[in-house]
Amino acid sequence: MSGRRDVRSAVGTELVLDIGPVAHGGHWVARHEGRVVFVRHTLTGERIRAVVTDGHDGSAFWRADAIEVLTAAPTRVEPPCPWSGPGRCGGCDFQHVSIEEQRKVKAAVVHEHLGRTVEVEAVPGDDGGLGWRTRVHYAVDAAGAAGLRQHRSHLVVPVDRCRIAHPLVQAAEVTGRSWPGVVSIEVAAAPVSGDRAVLADGVAQPGSAATLREVVGEQTYQVAAGGFWQVHPGAAGVLLGAVLDGLEPRPGDIALDLYGGVGLFAAALADRVGPTGRVTLVESDRQAVADAKQNLAAWPAARIERGRVDHVLRRLHLGRADVVVLDPPRAGAGRAVVDLLTRLRARRIVYVACDPASLGRDLRRFEEQGMAVVGLRAFDLFPMTSHVECVAALEPVSGIGATPRGRQVS
């Protein structure tokens, strides 16, 4: 005999729980007989009836959904979307939470992972947390109906429309028709130019734009229909301002834009460093690099390097850089990139992050290498969801004196 005992699933078990603090990822923490239970669709201070959605009697923790509120928190609201809730669309985490409380909850998550108090700032371009998402991926079920997936599931919820989608996206009426033989549909819209792309399994549909014109201030950026761009209409401008405030670039500076995408930050940096400076954008995605070449064509001082950031930094053998901005994917930059950057003795580094946990890990690595966080801002670029965008400014410990402009933290 192997000695292994049978493990019984807890899925479907109903529990009455008292809800504690918020956790990362759209969950709140409760305990049942000493075991941690991560619960969705609830709030701190509530007493709820929950059903376990994941876990067994040997699990360190369970996941659960609140299916009945026995004692409600004062900041609970009626979800504006009828498709939000247990067993329904998994796209939104916080539809049951007032928009003001959502930002306080996100600030608590930032404090948990970074140990710093910060206000999560609203960003212009949404309607009370709705109507902002300019890029939406729809899934299509076996019957050809387009919809959005349940949380942690491949099941497709055939929603009538997505309430957080931008009006230009909703006007594509993806959910109002049949898509036989299609697996997924992507809709992308550029609100200022009015461009819109509809891709079914990557194939542009009739009338779809092949390239979107994204406008930030006086600059227009080319972005391929399936390429990456910030999904909130106000995000690009707000992040650009925060990055420039944090870096304080000067004429003649050597600047790096890592994970630089289509060149949002690189173009502005090239403007600031001028003809005596130099900007190097590093990006691994082939289409983003092609777009960046178009977007940076007017700045001879800007060059583009395609490849993984750590590989490119080793290949370039840079002796120094004055200012660096990095905007890595959700997993963060990682130890190798942090170590390479600290050797460049930059005057300022600004880190843009969509995941506080990954940012916290990387900031601790920077601090171990002699850098200090001198400024932190957080933005509500994803209302109704648990996501929050952070912009952290760092400088060498010996250089702490002048802190960057912008909202300061404790």
Side-chain angles (χ1 to χ4, degrees):
M1 295 179 62
S2 66
R4 294 176 59 188
R5 64 184 180 87
D6 292 335
V7 176
R8 293 177 299 175
S9 172
V11 174
T13 302
E14 291 194 8
L15 310 170
V16 174
L17 300 170
D18 294 310
I19 303 302
V22 67
H24 187 37
H27 300 82
W28 274 259
V29 179
R31 291 186 179 272
H32 174 70
E33 297 179 351
R35 178 183 279 110
V36 169
V37 184
F38 292 110
V39 189
R40 284 170 56 82
H41 311 293
T42 188
L43 277 163
T44 299
E46 292 192 327
R47 187 174 179 83
I48 55 100
R49 188 181 304 279
V51 61
V52 177
T53 58
D54 184 49
H56 52 76
D57 59 6
S59 301
F61 62 86
W62 290 346
R63 300 179 189 273
D65 283 344
I67 57 173
E68 182 183 0
V69 180
L70 305 177
T71 304
T75 51
R76 175 178 281 274
V77 298
E78 186 68 23
C81 177
W83 302 99
S84 174
R88 300 172 186 167
C89 173
C92 292
D93 309 297
F94 291 165
Q95 291 242 355
H96 63 290
V97 187
S98 71
I99 194 70
E100 296 80 12
E101 183 67 12
Q102 288 182 35
R103 293 175 185 137
K104 293 178 182 178
V105 166
K106 294 178 186 185
V109 172
V110 172
H111 186 274
E112 176 189 357
H113 290 284
L114 303 183
R116 292 168 178 266
T117 302
V118 65
E119 175 188 351
V120 175
E121 303 174 46
V123 176
D126 61 66
D127 181 11
L130 303 177
W132 55 269
R133 193 173 185 95
T134 60
R135 280 159 171 75
V136 178
H137 289 261
Y138 297 91
V140 181
D141 65 17
L148 300 168
R149 296 194 187 277
Q150 288 184 12
H151 179 65
R152 292 172 60 86
S153 170
H154 292 294
L155 294 177
V156 179
V157 179
V159 303
D160 57 349
R161 62 186 179 90
C162 175
R163 270 65 174 178
I164 66 170
H166 190 276
L168 275 174
V169 173
Q170 295 191 38
E173 297 183 337
V174 167
T175 55
R177 52 169 288 193
S178 178
W179 298 87
V182 174
V183 175
S184 66
I185 304 160
E186 180 181 0
V187 182
V192 177
S193 68
D195 293 341
R196 182 175 63 203
V198 180
L199 307 177
D201 291 341
V203 178
Q205 300 303 287
S208 174
T211 300
L212 303 180
R213 293 165 297 165
E214 297 285 0
V215 181
V216 182
E218 298 180 356
Q219 178 69 22
T220 298
Y221 297 84
Q222 169 183 301
V223 184
F228 174 79
W229 186 258
Q230 292 288 340
V231 296
H232 193 292
V238 164
L239 291 177
L240 180 57
V243 166
L244 293 176
D245 280 351
L247 288 179
E248 297 182 344
R250 305 166 184 169
D253 272 349
I254 298 172
L256 291 178
D257 179 8
L258 308 180
Y259 314 93
V262 302
L264 171 66
F265 301 138
L269 284 171
D271 244 357
R272 296 292 183 93
V273 305
T276 60
R278 186 169 76 243
V279 178
T280 300
L281 179 150
V282 181
E283 171 58 51
S284 62
D285 182 78
R286 186 182 300 277
Q287 183 58 60
V289 167
D291 289 339
K293 288 179 179 178
Q294 294 295 320
N295 295 330
L296 300 177
W299 288 277
R303 65 171 177 170
I304 300 168
E305 296 284 345
R306 180 171 176 262
R308 273 181 41 172
V309 168
D310 56 340
H311 292 177
V312 172
L313 289 177
R314 290 190 181 99
R315 185 178 77 234
L316 293 180
H317 298 294
L318 296 172
R320 71 178 183 91
D322 298 299
V323 292
V324 178
V325 57
L326 64 158
D327 186 5
R330 189 169 301 278
R335 183 175 296 277
V337 171
V338 171
D339 290 350
L340 288 164
L341 290 182
T342 53
R343 296 172 193 169
L344 298 178
R345 306 185 304 280
R347 183 177 71 248
R348 283 287 173 87
I349 296 176
V350 169
Y351 191 134
V352 181
C354 60
D355 186 273
S358 299
L359 175 62
R361 288 192 297 269
D362 284 343
L363 291 185
R364 286 189 288 275
R365 292 178 179 124
F366 274 114
E367 289 168 347
E368 291 168 0
Q369 298 292 328
M371 302 290 291
V373 176
V374 294
L376 176 68
R377 297 177 72 181
F379 300 99
D380 196 12
L381 302 188
F382 309 92
M384 301 295 171
T385 81
S386 61
H387 302 298
V388 59
E389 195 88 1
C390 294
V391 179
L394 302 103
E395 63 182 26
V397 171
S398 60
I400 294 179
T403 54
R405 294 187 300 273
R407 193 175 304 278
Q408 298 304 297
V409 299
S410 59

